[in-house]
mmCIF file with all atom_site columns, all heavy atoms in Angstrom:
data_model
loop_
_atom_site.group_PDB
_atom_site.id
_atom_site.type_symbol
_atom_site.label_atom_id
_atom_site.label_alt_id
_atom_site.label_comp_id
_atom_site.label_asym_id
_atom_site.label_entity_id
_atom_site.label_seq_id
_atom_site.pdbx_PDB_ins_code
_atom_site.Cartn_x
_atom_site.Cartn_y
_atom_site.Cartn_z
_atom_site.occupancy
_atom_site.B_iso_or_equiv
_atom_site.pdbx_formal_charge
_atom_site.auth_seq_id
_atom_site.auth_comp_id
_atom_site.auth_asym_id
_atom_site.auth_atom_id
_atom_site.pdbx_PDB_model_num
ATOM 1   N N   . ILE A 1 43 ? 65.319 -7.325  62.191 1.00 92.00 ? 43 ILE A N   1
ATOM 2   C CA  . ILE A 1 43 ? 65.560 -8.477  63.074 1.00 92.00 ? 43 ILE A CA  1
ATOM 3   C C   . ILE A 1 43 ? 66.783 -8.205  63.947 1.00 92.00 ? 43 ILE A C   1
ATOM 4   O O   . ILE A 1 43 ? 66.750 -8.413  65.174 1.00 92.00 ? 43 ILE A O   1
ATOM 5   C CB  . ILE A 1 43 ? 65.735 -9.774  62.267 1.00 92.00 ? 43 ILE A CB  1
ATOM 6   C CG1 . ILE A 1 43 ? 64.410 -10.184 61.617 1.00 92.00 ? 43 ILE A CG1 1
ATOM 7   C CG2 . ILE A 1 43 ? 66.246 -10.912 63.166 1.00 92.00 ? 43 ILE A CG2 1
ATOM 8   C CD1 . ILE A 1 43 ? 64.527 -11.319 60.614 1.00 92.00 ? 43 ILE A CD1 1
ATOM 9   N N   . VAL A 1 44 ? 67.864 -7.730  63.330 1.00 91.00 ? 44 VAL A N   1
ATOM 10  C CA  . VAL A 1 44 ? 69.075 -7.423  64.094 1.00 91.00 ? 44 VAL A CA  1
ATOM 11  C C   . VAL A 1 44 ? 68.804 -6.339  65.127 1.00 91.00 ? 44 VAL A C   1
ATOM 12  O O   . VAL A 1 44 ? 69.228 -6.453  66.286 1.00 91.00 ? 44 VAL A O   1
ATOM 13  C CB  . VAL A 1 44 ? 70.228 -7.014  63.138 1.00 91.00 ? 44 VAL A CB  1
ATOM 14  C CG1 . VAL A 1 44 ? 71.418 -6.459  63.904 1.00 91.00 ? 44 VAL A CG1 1
ATOM 15  C CG2 . VAL A 1 44 ? 70.643 -8.196  62.273 1.00 91.00 ? 44 VAL A CG2 1
ATOM 16  N N   . LEU A 1 45 ? 68.086 -5.294  64.753 1.00 90.00 ? 45 LEU A N   1
ATOM 17  C CA  . LEU A 1 45 ? 67.741 -4.238  65.704 1.00 90.00 ? 45 LEU A CA  1
ATOM 18  C C   . LEU A 1 45 ? 66.904 -4.776  66.863 1.00 90.00 ? 45 LEU A C   1
ATOM 19  O O   . LEU A 1 45 ? 67.097 -4.376  68.011 1.00 90.00 ? 45 LEU A O   1
ATOM 20  C CB  . LEU A 1 45 ? 66.993 -3.101  65.006 1.00 90.00 ? 45 LEU A CB  1
ATOM 21  C CG  . LEU A 1 45 ? 67.838 -2.162  64.181 1.00 90.00 ? 45 LEU A CG  1
ATOM 22  C CD1 . LEU A 1 45 ? 66.958 -1.208  63.386 1.00 90.00 ? 45 LEU A CD1 1
ATOM 23  C CD2 . LEU A 1 45 ? 68.799 -1.385  65.064 1.00 90.00 ? 45 LEU A CD2 1
ATOM 24  N N   . GLY A 1 46 ? 65.971 -5.663  66.551 1.00 88.00 ? 46 GLY A N   1
ATOM 25  C CA  . GLY A 1 46 ? 65.158 -6.266  67.612 1.00 88.00 ? 46 GLY A CA  1
ATOM 26  C C   . GLY A 1 46 ? 66.003 -7.052  68.588 1.00 88.00 ? 46 GLY A C   1
ATOM 27  O O   . GLY A 1 46 ? 65.832 -6.951  69.813 1.00 88.00 ? 46 GLY A O   1
ATOM 28  N N   . VAL A 1 47 ? 66.939 -7.830  68.080 1.00 90.00 ? 47 VAL A N   1
ATOM 29  C CA  . VAL A 1 47 ? 67.813 -8.634  68.940 1.00 90.00 ? 47 VAL A CA  1
ATOM 30  C C   . VAL A 1 47 ? 68.709 -7.730  69.790 1.00 90.00 ? 47 VAL A C   1
ATOM 31  O O   . VAL A 1 47 ? 68.832 -7.915  71.004 1.00 90.00 ? 47 VAL A O   1
ATOM 32  C CB  . VAL A 1 47 ? 68.668 -9.614  68.094 1.00 90.00 ? 47 VAL A CB  1
ATOM 33  C CG1 . VAL A 1 47 ? 69.778 -10.243 68.921 1.00 90.00 ? 47 VAL A CG1 1
ATOM 34  C CG2 . VAL A 1 47 ? 67.788 -10.687 67.481 1.00 90.00 ? 47 VAL A CG2 1
ATOM 35  N N   . ILE A 1 48 ? 69.327 -6.737  69.161 1.00 88.00 ? 48 ILE A N   1
ATOM 36  C CA  . ILE A 1 48 ? 70.252 -5.861  69.881 1.00 88.00 ? 48 ILE A CA  1
ATOM 37  C C   . ILE A 1 48 ? 69.524 -5.017  70.927 1.00 88.00 ? 48 ILE A C   1
ATOM 38  O O   . ILE A 1 48 ? 70.000 -4.872  72.054 1.00 88.00 ? 48 ILE A O   1
ATOM 39  C CB  . ILE A 1 48 ? 71.027 -4.959  68.903 1.00 88.00 ? 48 ILE A CB  1
ATOM 40  C CG1 . ILE A 1 48 ? 71.989 -5.802  68.071 1.00 88.00 ? 48 ILE A CG1 1
ATOM 41  C CG2 . ILE A 1 48 ? 71.785 -3.858  69.636 1.00 88.00 ? 48 ILE A CG2 1
ATOM 42  C CD1 . ILE A 1 48 ? 72.642 -5.056  66.929 1.00 88.00 ? 48 ILE A CD1 1
ATOM 43  N N   . SER A 1 49 ? 68.370 -4.478  70.564 1.00 83.00 ? 49 SER A N   1
ATOM 44  C CA  . SER A 1 49 ? 67.688 -3.559  71.481 1.00 83.00 ? 49 SER A CA  1
ATOM 45  C C   . SER A 1 49 ? 66.939 -4.271  72.608 1.00 83.00 ? 49 SER A C   1
ATOM 46  O O   . SER A 1 49 ? 66.670 -3.671  73.636 1.00 83.00 ? 49 SER A O   1
ATOM 47  C CB  . SER A 1 49 ? 66.735 -2.631  70.717 1.00 83.00 ? 49 SER A CB  1
ATOM 48  O OG  . SER A 1 49 ? 65.729 -3.362  70.077 1.00 83.00 ? 49 SER A OG  1
ATOM 49  N N   . THR A 1 50 ? 66.615 -5.557  72.425 1.00 82.00 ? 50 THR A N   1
ATOM 50  C CA  . THR A 1 50 ? 65.855 -6.247  73.478 1.00 82.00 ? 50 THR A CA  1
ATOM 51  C C   . THR A 1 50 ? 66.612 -7.399  74.109 1.00 82.00 ? 50 THR A C   1
ATOM 52  O O   . THR A 1 50 ? 66.365 -7.720  75.263 1.00 82.00 ? 50 THR A O   1
ATOM 53  C CB  . THR A 1 50 ? 64.518 -6.797  72.933 1.00 82.00 ? 50 THR A CB  1
ATOM 54  O OG1 . THR A 1 50 ? 64.788 -7.845  71.998 1.00 82.00 ? 50 THR A OG1 1
ATOM 55  C CG2 . THR A 1 50 ? 63.690 -5.694  72.299 1.00 82.00 ? 50 THR A CG2 1
ATOM 56  N N   . GLY A 1 51 ? 67.447 -8.059  73.355 1.00 81.00 ? 51 GLY A N   1
ATOM 57  C CA  . GLY A 1 51 ? 68.161 -9.221  73.872 1.00 81.00 ? 51 GLY A CA  1
ATOM 58  C C   . GLY A 1 51 ? 67.271 -10.439 74.092 1.00 81.00 ? 51 GLY A C   1
ATOM 59  O O   . GLY A 1 51 ? 67.688 -11.418 74.697 1.00 81.00 ? 51 GLY A O   1
ATOM 60  N N   . GLN A 1 52 ? 66.072 -10.421 73.554 1.00 82.00 ? 52 GLN A N   1
ATOM 61  C CA  . GLN A 1 52 ? 65.120 -11.516 73.746 1.00 82.00 ? 52 GLN A CA  1
ATOM 62  C C   . GLN A 1 52 ? 65.216 -12.484 72.561 1.00 82.00 ? 52 GLN A C   1
ATOM 63  O O   . GLN A 1 52 ? 64.321 -12.577 71.738 1.00 82.00 ? 52 GLN A O   1
ATOM 64  C CB  . GLN A 1 52 ? 63.710 -10.964 73.897 1.00 82.00 ? 52 GLN A CB  1
ATOM 65  C CG  . GLN A 1 52 ? 63.563 -10.083 75.120 1.00 82.00 ? 52 GLN A CG  1
ATOM 66  C CD  . GLN A 1 52 ? 62.126 -9.650  75.324 1.00 82.00 ? 52 GLN A CD  1
ATOM 67  O OE1 . GLN A 1 52 ? 61.199 -10.312 74.881 1.00 82.00 ? 52 GLN A OE1 1
ATOM 68  N NE2 . GLN A 1 52 ? 61.955 -8.535  76.000 1.00 82.00 ? 52 GLN A NE2 1
ATOM 69  N N   . TYR A 1 53 ? 66.309 -13.230 72.546 1.00 84.00 ? 53 TYR A N   1
ATOM 70  C CA  . TYR A 1 53 ? 66.613 -14.114 71.420 1.00 84.00 ? 53 TYR A CA  1
ATOM 71  C C   . TYR A 1 53 ? 65.530 -15.170 71.201 1.00 84.00 ? 53 TYR A C   1
ATOM 72  O O   . TYR A 1 53 ? 65.156 -15.442 70.071 1.00 84.00 ? 53 TYR A O   1
ATOM 73  C CB  . TYR A 1 53 ? 67.961 -14.812 71.636 1.00 84.00 ? 53 TYR A CB  1
ATOM 74  C CG  . TYR A 1 53 ? 69.085 -13.859 71.885 1.00 84.00 ? 53 TYR A CG  1
ATOM 75  C CD1 . TYR A 1 53 ? 69.591 -13.653 73.166 1.00 84.00 ? 53 TYR A CD1 1
ATOM 76  C CD2 . TYR A 1 53 ? 69.645 -13.149 70.832 1.00 84.00 ? 53 TYR A CD2 1
ATOM 77  C CE1 . TYR A 1 53 ? 70.636 -12.759 73.386 1.00 84.00 ? 53 TYR A CE1 1
ATOM 78  C CE2 . TYR A 1 53 ? 70.679 -12.260 71.039 1.00 84.00 ? 53 TYR A CE2 1
ATOM 79  C CZ  . TYR A 1 53 ? 71.165 -12.067 72.328 1.00 84.00 ? 53 TYR A CZ  1
ATOM 80  O OH  . TYR A 1 53 ? 72.184 -11.188 72.533 1.00 84.00 ? 53 TYR A OH  1
ATOM 81  N N   . MET A 1 54 ? 65.050 -15.759 72.253 1.00 87.00 ? 54 MET A N   1
ATOM 82  C CA  . MET A 1 54 ? 64.064 -16.835 72.128 1.00 87.00 ? 54 MET A CA  1
ATOM 83  C C   . MET A 1 54 ? 62.756 -16.324 71.526 1.00 87.00 ? 54 MET A C   1
ATOM 84  O O   . MET A 1 54 ? 62.235 -16.911 70.580 1.00 87.00 ? 54 MET A O   1
ATOM 85  C CB  . MET A 1 54 ? 63.813 -17.483 73.493 1.00 87.00 ? 54 MET A CB  1
ATOM 86  C CG  . MET A 1 54 ? 62.839 -18.642 73.425 1.00 87.00 ? 54 MET A CG  1
ATOM 87  S SD  . MET A 1 54 ? 63.471 -20.040 72.494 1.00 87.00 ? 54 MET A SD  1
ATOM 88  C CE  . MET A 1 54 ? 64.508 -20.764 73.716 1.00 87.00 ? 54 MET A CE  1
ATOM 89  N N   . LEU A 1 55 ? 62.226 -15.238 72.081 1.00 84.00 ? 55 LEU A N   1
ATOM 90  C CA  . LEU A 1 55 ? 60.970 -14.688 71.557 1.00 84.00 ? 55 LEU A CA  1
ATOM 91  C C   . LEU A 1 55 ? 61.124 -14.236 70.108 1.00 84.00 ? 55 LEU A C   1
ATOM 92  O O   . LEU A 1 55 ? 60.237 -14.475 69.277 1.00 84.00 ? 55 LEU A O   1
ATOM 93  C CB  . LEU A 1 55 ? 60.517 -13.501 72.413 1.00 84.00 ? 55 LEU A CB  1
ATOM 94  C CG  . LEU A 1 55 ? 59.905 -13.847 73.763 1.00 84.00 ? 55 LEU A CG  1
ATOM 95  C CD1 . LEU A 1 55 ? 59.623 -12.583 74.564 1.00 84.00 ? 55 LEU A CD1 1
ATOM 96  C CD2 . LEU A 1 55 ? 58.633 -14.661 73.577 1.00 84.00 ? 55 LEU A CD2 1
ATOM 97  N N   . ILE A 1 56 ? 62.243 -13.601 69.808 1.00 87.00 ? 56 ILE A N   1
ATOM 98  C CA  . ILE A 1 56 ? 62.477 -13.146 68.436 1.00 87.00 ? 56 ILE A CA  1
ATOM 99  C C   . ILE A 1 56 ? 62.601 -14.344 67.507 1.00 87.00 ? 56 ILE A C   1
ATOM 100 O O   . ILE A 1 56 ? 62.046 -14.340 66.408 1.00 87.00 ? 56 ILE A O   1
ATOM 101 C CB  . ILE A 1 56 ? 63.703 -12.221 68.372 1.00 87.00 ? 56 ILE A CB  1
ATOM 102 C CG1 . ILE A 1 56 ? 63.370 -10.907 69.081 1.00 87.00 ? 56 ILE A CG1 1
ATOM 103 C CG2 . ILE A 1 56 ? 64.148 -11.979 66.935 1.00 87.00 ? 56 ILE A CG2 1
ATOM 104 C CD1 . ILE A 1 56 ? 64.533 -9.971  69.277 1.00 87.00 ? 56 ILE A CD1 1
ATOM 105 N N   . GLY A 1 57 ? 63.302 -15.368 67.932 1.00 90.00 ? 57 GLY A N   1
ATOM 106 C CA  . GLY A 1 57 ? 63.434 -16.579 67.106 1.00 90.00 ? 57 GLY A CA  1
ATOM 107 C C   . GLY A 1 57 ? 62.092 -17.214 66.819 1.00 90.00 ? 57 GLY A C   1
ATOM 108 O O   . GLY A 1 57 ? 61.819 -17.616 65.675 1.00 90.00 ? 57 GLY A O   1
ATOM 109 N N   . ILE A 1 58 ? 61.235 -17.283 67.822 1.00 89.00 ? 58 ILE A N   1
ATOM 110 C CA  . ILE A 1 58 ? 59.897 -17.861 67.629 1.00 89.00 ? 58 ILE A CA  1
ATOM 111 C C   . ILE A 1 58 ? 59.070 -16.994 66.692 1.00 89.00 ? 58 ILE A C   1
ATOM 112 O O   . ILE A 1 58 ? 58.448 -17.498 65.734 1.00 89.00 ? 58 ILE A O   1
ATOM 113 C CB  . ILE A 1 58 ? 59.188 -18.056 68.985 1.00 89.00 ? 58 ILE A CB  1
ATOM 114 C CG1 . ILE A 1 58 ? 59.898 -19.142 69.797 1.00 89.00 ? 58 ILE A CG1 1
ATOM 115 C CG2 . ILE A 1 58 ? 57.711 -18.390 68.780 1.00 89.00 ? 58 ILE A CG2 1
ATOM 116 C CD1 . ILE A 1 58 ? 59.453 -19.217 71.248 1.00 89.00 ? 58 ILE A CD1 1
ATOM 117 N N   . ALA A 1 59 ? 59.048 -15.683 66.940 1.00 88.00 ? 59 ALA A N   1
ATOM 118 C CA  . ALA A 1 59 ? 58.250 -14.775 66.107 1.00 88.00 ? 59 ALA A CA  1
ATOM 119 C C   . ALA A 1 59 ? 58.731 -14.787 64.659 1.00 88.00 ? 59 ALA A C   1
ATOM 120 O O   . ALA A 1 59 ? 57.921 -14.849 63.730 1.00 88.00 ? 59 ALA A O   1
ATOM 121 C CB  . ALA A 1 59 ? 58.306 -13.350 66.675 1.00 88.00 ? 59 ALA A CB  1
ATOM 122 N N   . VAL A 1 60 ? 60.039 -14.750 64.454 1.00 91.00 ? 60 VAL A N   1
ATOM 123 C CA  . VAL A 1 60 ? 60.581 -14.774 63.098 1.00 91.00 ? 60 VAL A CA  1
ATOM 124 C C   . VAL A 1 60 ? 60.241 -16.101 62.416 1.00 91.00 ? 60 VAL A C   1
ATOM 125 O O   . VAL A 1 60 ? 59.846 -16.129 61.238 1.00 91.00 ? 60 VAL A O   1
ATOM 126 C CB  . VAL A 1 60 ? 62.103 -14.512 63.102 1.00 91.00 ? 60 VAL A CB  1
ATOM 127 C CG1 . VAL A 1 60 ? 62.718 -14.803 61.739 1.00 91.00 ? 60 VAL A CG1 1
ATOM 128 C CG2 . VAL A 1 60 ? 62.392 -13.068 63.513 1.00 91.00 ? 60 VAL A CG2 1
ATOM 129 N N   . SER A 1 61 ? 60.349 -17.202 63.145 1.00 92.00 ? 61 SER A N   1
ATOM 130 C CA  . SER A 1 61 ? 60.029 -18.520 62.569 1.00 92.00 ? 61 SER A CA  1
ATOM 131 C C   . SER A 1 61 ? 58.572 -18.601 62.140 1.00 92.00 ? 61 SER A C   1
ATOM 132 O O   . SER A 1 61 ? 58.265 -19.102 61.049 1.00 92.00 ? 61 SER A O   1
ATOM 133 C CB  . SER A 1 61 ? 60.327 -19.627 63.578 1.00 92.00 ? 61 SER A CB  1
ATOM 134 O OG  . SER A 1 61 ? 61.696 -19.652 63.889 1.00 92.00 ? 61 SER A OG  1
ATOM 135 N N   . VAL A 1 62 ? 57.667 -18.112 62.976 1.00 92.00 ? 62 VAL A N   1
ATOM 136 C CA  . VAL A 1 62 ? 56.236 -18.136 62.636 1.00 92.00 ? 62 VAL A CA  1
ATOM 137 C C   . VAL A 1 62 ? 55.977 -17.271 61.405 1.00 92.00 ? 62 VAL A C   1
ATOM 138 O O   . VAL A 1 62 ? 55.261 -17.687 60.478 1.00 92.00 ? 62 VAL A O   1
ATOM 139 C CB  . VAL A 1 62 ? 55.374 -17.677 63.834 1.00 92.00 ? 62 VAL A CB  1
ATOM 140 C CG1 . VAL A 1 62 ? 53.940 -17.413 63.421 1.00 92.00 ? 62 VAL A CG1 1
ATOM 141 C CG2 . VAL A 1 62 ? 55.435 -18.704 64.957 1.00 92.00 ? 62 VAL A CG2 1
#
Side-chain angles (χ1 to χ4, degrees):
I43 292 170
V44 170
L45 283 172
V47 168
I48 291 171
S49 62
T50 67
Q52 297 185 25
Y53 305 103
M54 182 66 80
L55 284 175
I56 291 172
I58 292 168
V60 169
S61 297
V62 168

